[in-house]
Amino acid sequence: MHRTLAIVGFMSWGFACSGRSAPLAPVISVRPGLEVLIEDSLHLVQGRRVGLVTNQGGVDARGVPATERLRAAGVNVVALFSPEHGFRGTAAPGESIASARDSATGLPIYSLYGRTSSPTDSMLRGIEILLIDLPDVGARYYTYLSTTVEVMRAAGRHQIPVLVLDRPDPIGGAVQGNVLDTAYRSFIGMLAVPMRHGLTLGEQARLARHDLGIDVVLGVVPVAGWKRSQALDDVGLPFVKPSPNLPTMESLFHYPGICLFEGTNLSVGRGSDAPFEQIGAPWLDTAAVLAAAHAAGIPGVAFAAVRFTPRAPGDGKYADSSVAGIRLTVTDRASYDPTITAVTLLSIILKTHPGKFHWIPAQFDRLAGGPGLRKSLTDGRSPAGIIAEWEAPRARYLERRQEFLLYPAD
């Protein structure tokens, strides 16, 4: 049996409070799920031994960490769990992280990106409820959802309820790009969703429970006052970089498209002054690429020639070498589609540098949700033709996700 208990409108869980509803508090601003739990629904965790899955992005509206807020509220947090990049968010991409002890609280920090990606029996011993408070980036290719899925699976096996403390989709609710082929699921792409999925982590968890058949008691403490069109900086919540190479809101808006270049022999500027805001290679003819990009008339973005130096260990292609590049700047968030932009640039660079551009096929296909995009570009198909084929799967996705949504459109 699949059980989902979503705390919408601050309703309590039956198992937590015998049907009692938490009092409604006036909504005067956008509040993350962490604050909603503490201010309106604390009874859900009172008297329970709590495990907390979080990192540096788990903060309240003033930037106070979840560990501090929960402990100050009298919540008995007994163990911490961390995803990729670690509890402080400073580890390099893909770096294996060891479990440790938090110097501020003395609590164990169990790494879920090292020897194991799933909480073990010993890690979960004595825990009565698991809270998940992680930031998301709004793109399919990110590992925090996969960590959430692994936590849900382990919790279900131990009959431990899971409560996601939700946060806004930081780049808003737009839905763009192709839908992943489920034959190509991986740790960087678990669900059949578009490249820019338009969901919060709580909504993704609800969808994952259904699509992956996870038998777990799942609840979501929703964000109060958020609408799908709003980006994180539209509502005044603090931006905390979710990982070392996504240091700005600008980088987040480009990431759903520019990340595809990770599966090529171009750098995305990891370790530079503007990762995921630029692409480049020593051999790139920036003048030719810029001319074609400007002629393509891509809305919502400006392009400029730039030289940058990616740094190790973040960049494994041209580390510590000056490369010729293209810098992207969002000029209109409402019309900008980073996935169309990326496909158009890939097509241009393929035609401009047929002997120098190369795919990293396995990596690109994982990111692109299958080999179809790579094969279409290699065959010389136009970006417009490729993108047109995304529309029907995207429409089906928009329809089937309806039952899992928690927030209104404007």
Side-chain angles (χ1 to χ4, degrees):
M1 181 180 76
H2 303 309
R3 297 161 290 173
T4 299
L5 296 170
I7 305 174
V8 181
F10 316 128
M11 294 299 291
S12 68
W13 283 350
F15 73 82
C17 198
S18 301
R20 176 169 58 88
S21 298
L24 290 171
V27 176
I28 57 175
S29 63
V30 173
R31 295 181 295 155
L34 169 65
E35 291 192 10
V36 175
L37 175 73
I38 292 171
E39 296 169 10
D40 305 318
S41 303
L42 195 60
H43 61 280
L44 298 174
V45 293
Q46 282 178 328
R48 299 179 183 274
R49 291 171 58 84
V50 175
L52 175 63
V53 185
T54 193
N55 64 3
Q56 78 289 347
V59 297
D60 70 7
R62 300 182 306 280
V64 179
T67 48
E68 292 185 27
R69 285 299 311 268
L70 290 168
R71 286 163 66 88
V75 177
N76 184 25
V77 179
V78 297
L80 304 171
F81 299 82
S82 67
E84 184 180 9
H85 306 297
F87 186 68
R88 306 295 177 193
T90 56
E95 179 182 342
S96 180
I97 301 164
S99 295
R101 191 164 292 275
D102 180 30
S103 59
T105 63
L107 294 174
I109 305 173
Y110 296 119
S111 172
L112 301 181
Y113 202 83
R115 292 185 176 180
T116 180
S117 61
S118 178
T120 64
D121 294 352
S122 61
M123 292 176 184
L124 293 176
R125 189 169 295 122
I127 290 176
E128 296 174 292
I129 187 170
L130 280 160
L131 306 185
I132 299 175
D133 190 1
L134 291 170
D136 194 58
V137 300
R140 181 177 70 214
Y141 9 84
Y142 212 63
T143 63
Y144 293 173
L145 171 64
S146 296
T147 295
T148 298
V149 165
E150 291 300 316
V151 169
M152 290 164 57
R153 285 172 169 158
R157 289 192 295 269
H158 289 81
Q159 297 184 324
I160 300 171
V162 173
L163 186 59
V164 178
L165 308 184
D166 215 7
R167 298 185 168 275
D169 182 321
I171 56 176
V175 177
Q176 298 164 334
N178 73 352
V179 174
L180 176 137
D181 179 344
T182 55
Y184 291 87
R185 280 193 179 116
S186 71
F187 203 73
I188 60 168
M190 276 278 184
L191 300 179
V193 300
M195 296 166 176
R196 184 176 177 183
H197 50 65
L199 300 174
T200 67
L201 185 64
E203 291 171 327
Q204 290 178 79
R206 285 160 57 86
L207 181 61
R209 187 213 56 80
H210 176 272
D211 284 5
L212 303 179
I214 305 171
D215 185 12
V216 64
V217 174
L218 173 67
V220 179
V221 179
V223 185
W226 182 67
K227 294 181 180 179
R228 310 197 76 84
S229 65
Q230 295 175 312
L232 190 68
D233 53 358
D234 291 333
V235 297
L237 293 180
F239 172 78
V240 180
K241 61 182 181 181
S243 51
N245 283 289
L246 289 172
T248 63
M249 286 293 298
E250 179 81 10
S251 64
L252 289 190
F253 273 94
H254 295 299
Y255 182 76
I258 297 305
C259 190
L260 290 172
F261 282 87
E262 297 265 64
T264 75
N265 62 338
L266 278 87
S267 169
V268 297
R270 285 184 179 274
S272 74
D273 61 338
F276 292 101
E277 298 176 36
Q278 51 196 3
I279 56 171
W283 42 263
L284 191 68
D285 184 342
T286 55
V289 173
L290 280 174
H294 290 146
I298 307 169
V301 63
F303 304 100
V306 68
R307 292 201 72 87
F308 65 89
T309 303
R311 300 292 184 186
D315 187 276
K317 298 170 184 175
Y318 308 111
D320 304 320
S321 300
S322 177
V323 303
I326 305 293
R327 182 73 170 264
L328 294 80
T329 303
V330 177
T331 58
D332 177 27
R333 289 180 177 179
S335 63
Y336 179 50
D337 187 328
T339 67
I340 291 176
T341 302
V343 169
T344 304
L345 288 173
L346 284 165
S347 177
I348 291 169
I349 295 169
L350 263 168
K351 293 175 182 177
T352 307
H353 297 284
K356 294 181 179 178
F357 174 89
H358 299 294
W359 303 105
I360 306 172
Q363 186 171 357
F364 188 89
D365 294 354
R366 279 195 298 271
L367 292 166
L373 177 57
R374 175 175 54 84
K375 291 179 178 178
S376 291
L377 286 164
T378 300
D379 290 344
R381 295 192 58 206
S382 71
I386 293 170
I387 292 158
E389 292 185 347
W390 296 352
E391 288 307 309
R394 176 180 172 275
R396 290 193 293 270
Y397 162 75
L398 290 172
E399 176 64 28
R400 78 180 188 86
R401 75 174 191 160
Q402 286 298 316
E403 66 178 290
F404 307 107
L405 299 183
L406 299 174
Y407 306 96
D410 288 351

